[in-house]
Amino acid sequence: MPDRIVHHGAMGQLLGDVEAAGSGEIVWWEVAEREIDLRSAAVRSIALHDVSGPLVLRVHPHTQSVFLAGDLRKVEIFGLEGEEVIVQLQGDVGAGLPRGLDSVAELQVSSTPMLDLAVLHGLTRLRSLTVRDVPGRIASTSVLGALPGLERIRFYNTYDIDAAAFPRPEMFHDLQLVSFDGLFTSDAKVLRERLKGFWNAHVNHPRSAKWMAENINNPFRSWGDDDRTLGRRANELWRNALTDARRQDSVADSLRIVTEFTDGLRVLAEEFPLDTLCREQATEALDRLAHLELGLPEGTDAVPSQGWEW
């Protein structure tokens, strides 16, 4: 029996499929529902992509992992229980986190325009926090000191963070890891001073203002941090696509550019072990190339809508 059910569009027979297959995971694309009741689906993991507005999600008590991507400004989750609940949020949570996260042990937030960490107040069971790819301000870092149960804190590609207010390690009871990867040089200097003496603090890849000005809109800017060859080839693929986009003068040219870029992504995916984040960043780059740079309409057949399609 399949361990994963992949679903698209309206709910339809999803619950019947899950019950028949005994699946442990639901992956649902193009979510349009405003209320989703999955209390009868005793799955361990739920991933909802393309959430497009207010959403009320009810889950089975056995569900231990929830991933939400899209417009997350008005989301409520009911039924999350257990000791090891993981929630991943990819999208705009600038107005606040979804309701119903009181039992969350691990929280991952990415791709929100900005983030005020004051929204973490009350998450007393939180042990792990990851924040990734936030282009705007990350405020109220001092709030982390009011969550003494935190064990692991990670920030990736956060270039406007309230470094001066970040708590010193002695504020935490069980801190095991603090990591910053991708930040301004000035913030890196402040954080290294504040974390001085802590045995497992990492402040990596500080960036200058010049580097940021040249790379802020490059979706592949961090791909070379761990693998220089991958980073070089991904950035070359992106630069070539943008150059071609500026020269195109027909829809046929635009479709050719999208096809060549997609084929290039497929080659990289075959040659390198791209994780979920890399695939999401590549899909966002493809969407930007097709719709913003080339002006192709949404729904164009030549443009894959999800990362698994390339």
Side-chain angles (χ1 to χ4, degrees):
M1 291 187 295
D3 191 52
R4 171 186 290 190
I5 294 291
V6 178
H7 185 77
H8 294 260
M11 191 166 194
Q13 296 299 313
L14 174 61
L15 286 178
D17 292 343
V18 172
E19 292 169 2
S23 176
E25 180 180 3
I26 296 173
V27 178
W28 185 350
W29 296 88
E30 302 166 14
V31 175
E33 275 76 358
R34 295 292 179 259
E35 290 205 24
I36 298 175
D37 192 341
L38 297 175
R39 285 176 292 182
S40 65
V43 295
R44 66 175 182 274
S45 176
I46 297 169
L48 304 182
H49 297 261
D50 312 311
V51 175
S52 60
L55 172 66
V56 176
L57 172 64
R58 293 179 170 86
V59 302
H60 191 279
H62 290 173
T63 298
Q64 294 297 294
S65 175
V66 173
F67 172 93
L68 301 175
D71 183 350
L72 308 181
R73 287 174 291 180
K74 293 183 179 179
V75 174
E76 297 179 84
I77 306 175
F78 296 94
L80 288 175
E81 300 177 9
E83 299 294 325
E84 303 293 335
V85 175
I86 301 171
V87 172
Q88 301 174 67
L89 305 172
Q90 183 184 69
D92 190 350
V93 294
L97 297 179
R99 294 175 57 187
L101 302 186
D102 297 351
S103 63
V104 169
E106 179 175 342
L107 178 64
Q108 301 179 26
V109 179
S110 65
S111 303
T112 181
M114 61 188 66
L115 181 63
D116 188 335
L117 293 176
V119 298
L120 299 179
H121 270 306
L123 301 188
T124 56
R125 297 170 66 175
L126 190 64
R127 298 200 306 271
S128 176
L129 173 67
T130 300
V131 178
R132 189 188 299 268
D133 296 328
V134 178
R137 181 68 167 167
I138 298 179
S140 306
T141 56
S142 61
V143 167
L144 299 180
L147 302 171
L150 276 175
E151 299 173 358
R152 298 173 298 279
I153 302 171
R154 303 178 181 91
F155 287 85
Y156 298 92
N157 300 325
T158 51
Y159 293 96
D160 188 7
I161 188 168
D162 187 4
F166 192 85
R168 296 187 183 275
E170 55 267 24
M171 295 288 291
F172 303 93
H173 295 165
D174 301 304
L175 192 62
Q176 300 174 11
L177 169 69
V178 181
S179 175
F180 291 86
D181 197 312
L183 70 169
F184 268 124
T185 302
S186 56
D187 289 336
K189 181 178 180 180
V190 172
L191 288 164
R192 283 171 176 152
E193 189 282 324
R194 295 189 70 79
L195 298 171
K196 185 184 301 182
F198 181 62
W199 66 281
N200 200 14
H202 306 271
V203 181
N204 299 320
H205 301 111
R207 309 296 194 186
S208 67
K210 180 177 182 295
W211 185 93
M212 283 301 300
E214 294 173 349
N215 290 276
I216 189 63
N217 292 318
N218 179 359
F220 302 103
R221 63 178 179 263
S222 63
W223 280 36
D225 291 345
D226 297 318
D227 190 319
R228 291 185 179 181
T229 301
L230 172 60
R232 176 180 55 77
R233 289 179 57 183
N235 279 278
E236 182 179 1
L237 180 66
W238 178 245
R239 286 194 300 270
N240 290 343
L242 291 182
T243 298
D244 287 347
R246 296 184 184 108
R247 295 172 177 169
Q248 65 81 27
D249 57 8
S250 69
V251 173
D253 275 350
S254 296
L255 294 176
R256 174 187 57 79
I257 293 166
V258 168
T259 299
E260 291 177 353
F261 184 69
T262 305
D263 289 344
L265 292 177
R266 289 196 179 104
V267 170
L268 292 179
E270 291 172 359
E271 295 185 20
F272 298 89
L274 301 185
D275 60 19
T276 300
L277 176 64
C278 285
R279 288 180 176 271
E280 290 167 353
Q281 290 172 334
T283 302
E284 291 171 3
L286 177 58
D287 183 76
R288 175 180 159 192
L289 174 67
H291 305 307
L292 295 182
E293 302 292 342
L294 293 169
L296 292 172
E298 295 286 344
T300 301
D301 290 343
V303 183
S305 58
Q306 280 94 35
W308 52 265
E309 291 182 314
W310 54 262

